[in-house]
Amino acid sequence: MKNIHRILSIETSCDETAAAVVEFQANLDTITPLSSVIASQIPLHKQYGGVYPEMASRAHSQKILPVVSEALAIAKIRSTKHEVRKMSLRATSEERGNLTVSGHPELVEGSGPRLLRPTGARNDKISAKIRNSVTAIAVTAGPGLAGSLIVGVEFARGLSAATGIPLVAVNHLEGHIYANFVGANSKLQDTSSKQIPNSKNQKSKQFPNSNNQNSEQVCDLVFGACDLPLKPVFPLLALVVSGGHTMLVLMRKHLDYKIIGSTLDDAAGECFDKVARMLGLPYPGGPALEKLAREGNPKAYDFPRSMLHSKDFNFSFSGLKTAVFYKLRSLGLVDSHANPISPPAREYKLANGNSNSVSPPARGGARGGGSNYPRPSASTSATIRDIAASFQQAVIDVLVAKTLRAAQELGVKSIIVGGGVIANSVLRDALQDPHKLPLAKGESKRGFKIYLSPRELATDNALSIGIAGAYHFIKGNTIPWQKLDANASLRL
Ligand code: KG4
Ligand code: ZN
């Protein structure tokens, strides 16, 4: 028991309010996820065609407490069930009615194991309980939307100040990387949705879930044993492909990052989002575009593969986006006066990590949030499907080719891939298809293995932050709550 640690992790960098609990031993051989709760804001932002920063921040403030409470409650149930540990978050019978979240006496765990209800008592007891049950609190400190990050960071600082539990600051990109270290014994199954009450209005309120984008639901990942591959071996190459970043990172050991290439303009996910908007698809664009592309011909249009043959490991996707725009315009599918550089859905997270140059999507604007793209009405037409498939293929060809070349040139033993875009099945298949991976000159056998983040951990979540946090914690990288600050432009 002595060497077992638990981290409560919190992620609020963009439009997902997420919390998780992971358990691990000091040697980090196994990291056991006990809970992972995500409240997505997709329904909120969908009407604007992108993330509306101020609304995102407000929604995080409303959801952070119930989401963290839910993650702690589920962890308690799972640890009890699996007898992982006697000293758990389980409440004694005396406390059952009074289990509050530290600093928030208005909330208490009620008779239903996952329900919260108001109370005024025993704040000190729950502080002690959390103190005894959680070894550290990890939180995403950046990069991301300043107003979103600050909610998670301030909540974590408050918990730390009230309980004395050490804080661990995690870079959001580390979360995407460490999603690949979830462990050989962990399986992330289906997401289940459930209702939990809102802190202000005690009526049961649903949280958003990407499966059901019109109602608010909270989703929880379920875990069990399975045969995920063993952990990646160093030196390794990490490809991060998200809405705000596209980069190749060389890691010689844990928590050691050397960025060897990144996008010079749009991130891959950002490009998916922008092209999806041109095609009249709803936010978030990536999954919608993938769906549309399924029935299209990826060879129908020969879109540019920018920087495919450049000697460096950088990427560029804005030319591709513009090529799609001109193709649509030449086909009469967008207004000839439309501007190819429309306000992007996720411009808040630029490649340089700067999130201050955000212009929020126009309030009450048309779908697409102020975009000046007239929507092609026949968004399901064969042409649009072919354009979607051809665009997607162009992005994937560049990502796959450059990543493999970098891996071969650097002689790494593993490639790991994280970030929202690796949820894309065509990219997953392309990276795993041996026929699509040519051997390097003089190479008889590929010298590296490829690991892809489990799909459930590709997009933003707190579990990945908890895994990265575990590595930081064991290395002694804690930070006093007085010193932690959200940093929208935090670099890896
Ligand atoms: O990592 P993530 O959740 O958030 C950021 O850190 O940005 O990534 C979100 C990005 C969005 O741009 C979204 O469109 C893209 O990942 N994405 C996809 C897919 N699922 C999410 N792109 C292509 N295909 C998908 N299936
Ligand atoms: Zn992300």
Side-chain angles (χ1 to χ4, degrees):
M1 289 305 142
K2 234 164 121 194
N3 288 327
I4 293 182
H5 301 283
R6 277 186 176 190
I7 283 189
L8 164 68
S9 53
I10 296 171
E11 151 70 38
T12 63
S13 69
C14 186
D15 56 348
E16 320 276 8
T17 315
V21 178
V22 293
E23 187 168 77
F24 53 96
Q25 289 183 318
N27 59 15
L28 288 163
D29 270 356
T30 306
I31 297 181
T32 308
L34 294 181
S35 65
S36 177
V37 175
I38 304 170
S40 166
Q41 300 174 7
I42 285 173
L44 189 65
H45 301 294
K46 208 173 182 179
Q47 58 193 307
Y48 304 108
V51 179
Y52 198 116
E54 196 183 309
M55 291 178 81
S57 171
R58 193 172 304 179
H60 284 308
S61 307
Q62 285 167 352
K63 288 169 189 165
I64 184 82
L65 180 53
V67 165
V68 168
S69 306
E70 177 79 348
L72 289 169
I74 294 169
K76 177 194 74 178
I77 290 161
R78 294 212 172 116
S79 63
T80 306
K81 194 168 154 199
H82 301 300
E83 293 179 0
V84 176
R85 175 170 202 217
K86 279 195 183 122
M87 188 178 66
S88 71
L89 290 165
R90 184 176 26 187
T92 63
S93 53
E94 185 203 353
E95 292 163 333
R96 267 203 87 73
N98 292 1
L99 186 62
T100 63
V101 174
S102 180
H104 295 276
E106 75 279 13
L107 287 189
V108 62
E109 186 176 89
S111 50
R114 295 171 187 176
L115 294 182
L116 301 167
R117 64 179 172 75
T119 185
R122 302 265 173 95
N123 217 13
D124 49 342
K125 272 216 162 179
I126 186 58
S127 285
K129 191 134 236 66
I130 291 181
R131 197 180 303 121
N132 289 337
S133 308
V134 176
T135 328
I137 299 161
V139 64
T140 304
L145 275 172
S148 290
L149 285 166
I150 217 165
V151 176
V153 166
E154 289 309 310
F155 192 87
R157 290 177 75 230
L159 275 184
S160 178
T163 61
I165 296 172
L167 271 182
V168 176
V170 176
N171 184 305
H172 181 76
L173 303 179
E174 290 185 300
H176 285 313
I177 290 171
Y178 275 86
N180 291 279
F181 286 89
V182 67
N185 298 321
S186 305
K187 181 178 183 182
L188 308 167
Q189 293 170 351
D190 219 3
T191 59
S192 59
S193 41
K194 55 185 69 77
Q195 296 188 332
I196 56 176
N198 173 302
S199 55
K200 282 192 188 141
N201 167 0
Q202 290 302 316
K203 270 196 274 168
S204 183
K205 181 181 176 187
Q206 286 188 300
F207 284 82
N209 166 313
S210 49
N211 295 334
N212 181 351
Q213 302 185 354
N214 293 321
S215 69
E216 288 198 329
Q217 293 179 316
V218 65
C219 77
D220 167 40
L221 304 173
V222 184
F223 309 97
C226 90
D227 56 353
L228 273 183
L230 292 171
K231 287 182 184 172
V233 176
F234 293 97
L236 64 79
L237 178 69
L239 169 67
V240 179
V241 269
S242 68
H245 295 82
T246 299
M247 56 171 63
L248 284 165
V249 185
L250 175 64
M251 291 177 69
R252 295 199 176 83
K253 56 183 183 190
H254 278 296
L255 307 176
D256 175 64
Y257 311 105
K258 184 177 177 200
I259 298 171
I260 60 154
S262 54
T263 181
L264 303 179
D265 37 58
D266 293 352
E270 183 183 359
C271 192
F272 264 95
D273 291 336
K274 287 175 176 175
V275 168
R277 289 174 68 187
M278 290 183 206
L279 300 180
L281 299 170
Y283 165 84
L289 194 147
E290 181 189 351
K291 202 169 159 205
L292 190 69
R294 257 177 230 152
E295 291 152 41
N297 174 6
K299 294 186 176 153
Y301 298 95
D302 188 19
F303 289 127
R305 270 84 172 147
S306 303
M307 302 187 71
L308 183 62
H309 301 296
S310 68
K311 290 223 162 66
D312 58 24
F313 300 121
N314 291 328
F315 301 90
S316 167
F317 293 106
S318 83
L320 170 61
K321 167 195 70 186
T322 310
V324 173
F325 172 79
Y326 284 125
K327 177 54 69 185
L328 287 168
R329 202 166 73 171
S330 73
L331 294 169
L333 292 170
V334 293
D335 191 315
S336 58
H337 301 298
N339 181 352
I341 318 295
S342 131
R346 299 169 75 89
E347 191 160 340
Y348 53 88
K349 272 202 257 175
L350 299 171
N352 65 7
N354 184 357
S355 68
N356 293 330
S357 58
V358 174
S359 41
R363 190 181 285 274
R367 192 174 67 169
S371 162
N372 51 8
Y373 297 126
R375 308 289 159 216
S377 54
S379 64
T380 52
S381 74
T383 307
I384 294 289
R385 288 197 294 264
D386 285 350
I387 289 176
S390 302
F391 156 78
Q392 178 175 263
Q393 196 57 51
V395 176
I396 289 170
D397 283 353
V398 176
L399 289 175
V400 172
K402 296 209 84 154
T403 304
L404 294 177
R405 186 167 62 77
Q408 281 165 338
E409 282 186 24
L410 296 165
V412 295
K413 296 211 167 100
S414 320
I415 294 178
I416 64 176
V417 191
V421 181
I422 196 57
N424 185 291
S425 306
V426 186
L427 176 59
R428 294 180 84 83
D429 289 348
L431 282 164
Q432 285 172 321
D433 180 353
H435 302 298
K436 288 188 181 145
L437 310 184
L439 293 175
K441 261 190 211 153
E443 202 181 40
S444 60
K445 183 169 133 211
R446 200 159 303 106
F448 52 80
K449 282 194 175 155
I450 299 187
Y451 301 81
L452 309 180
S453 293
R455 226 181 275 267
E456 296 81 355
L457 298 189
T459 45
D460 292 349
N461 68 89
L463 182 52
S464 307
I465 301 300
I467 299 166
Y471 282 87
H472 273 299
F473 177 71
I474 292 302
K475 211 180 159 199
N477 296 345
T478 58
I479 178 168
W481 66 265
Q482 296 91 335
K483 291 198 172 158
L484 181 63
D485 209 358
N487 180 353
S489 312
L490 189 65
R491 291 184 183 274
L492 196 60

